[in-house]
Amino acid sequence: MNEVEQLIPHRPPFLFVDAIVSHDGETLVARRTWRAEEDFYKGHYPGAPITPGVLLSEAVFQTGACLMAKLMAGAAGQGGGVPLLSKVSDIRFRLPVYPGDTVTIEVKRKETVGEFHFLTGVMKNAEGKKVMNVDFAVAWKKPEGQVTTT
C-alpha cells in the first residue's frame, strides 16, 4: 500500500493521485499520470480523448484529502475522520489534459473556521503551465455508517 492509500480511502479505479511529492506545513504537492487505458477515455471524446474536468477536480480534492489527513492526524480528538467536500468555488480550466500527461497538484489550506477547512488547489502540466485552479472547503467528519457489499 502506498502513502496515498494509507492516507485516504479512495482506491482504483477512483484514485487520481499517484504519489505525494512534498508536504510542508499547510501545503501538499502530489503527482498524477493520466493513463491511456483508463476506461473513461473510451467515452469522453472518442478518437480524440481528453481528461474530464470533473476528474481533474477530483484529483485536486483527493490531494486536499491527503493534506487534511496529514494535518488532522496530529490534532487532538480529530483521529478517525474524513474530509467531506462542502463547497467548490472559483474553478477555472485553462488547458486540456490528455492521456499520458503527468500533472502536479498543489493544495494549500488557507484557513479554518470551526470544522470547515478552506483550501485552494492548482494543477500544472509537465511544462509548469497552469491546467486548472479551484477553491474548495471540506468539513472533517467521523464516518457514521459503513455500507458493506457481499
Side-chain angles (χ1 to χ4, degrees):
M1 183 178 286
N2 70 29
E3 183 180 13
V4 173
E5 290 176 340
Q6 291 174 5
L7 292 170
I8 61 176
H10 304 77
R11 296 293 179 267
F14 208 77
L15 178 61
F16 302 114
V17 177
D18 292 336
I20 294 172
V21 176
S22 65
H23 173 230
D24 183 22
E26 303 281 311
T27 303
L28 186 136
V29 178
R31 181 181 62 248
R32 170 69 156 125
T33 298
W34 299 92
R35 296 162 193 79
E37 65 274 7
E38 294 182 273
D39 256 1
F40 57 82
Y41 285 125
K42 293 176 187 173
H44 199 254
Y45 297 97
I50 186 171
T51 310
V54 68
L55 297 183
L56 298 176
S57 302
E58 180 64 22
V60 174
F61 302 150
Q62 289 181 13
T63 301
C66 289
L67 173 63
M68 292 307 304
K70 284 184 167 283
L71 294 175
M72 300 308 281
Q78 296 294 324
V82 294
L84 300 177
L85 191 63
S86 60
K87 180 180 181 181
V88 177
S89 63
D90 296 326
I91 192 165
R92 303 275 191 274
F93 296 98
R94 300 172 187 281
L95 293 172
V97 174
Y98 300 104
D101 287 354
T102 297
V103 296
T104 57
I105 308 156
E106 180 177 299
V107 172
K108 296 179 185 181
R109 181 167 64 170
K110 299 188 299 185
E111 70 175 322
T112 298
V113 179
E115 65 182 20
F116 295 94
H117 305 271
F118 296 86
L119 302 106
T120 188
V122 175
M123 182 180 288
K124 294 181 180 178
N125 64 18
E127 292 80 39
K129 293 181 181 177
K130 194 181 291 186
V131 169
M132 65 160 298
N133 59 281
V134 60
D135 291 334
F136 61 105
V138 297
W140 190 263
K141 299 280 189 178
K142 289 189 179 185
E144 295 179 15
Q146 185 173 359
V147 176
T148 59
T149 58
T150 55

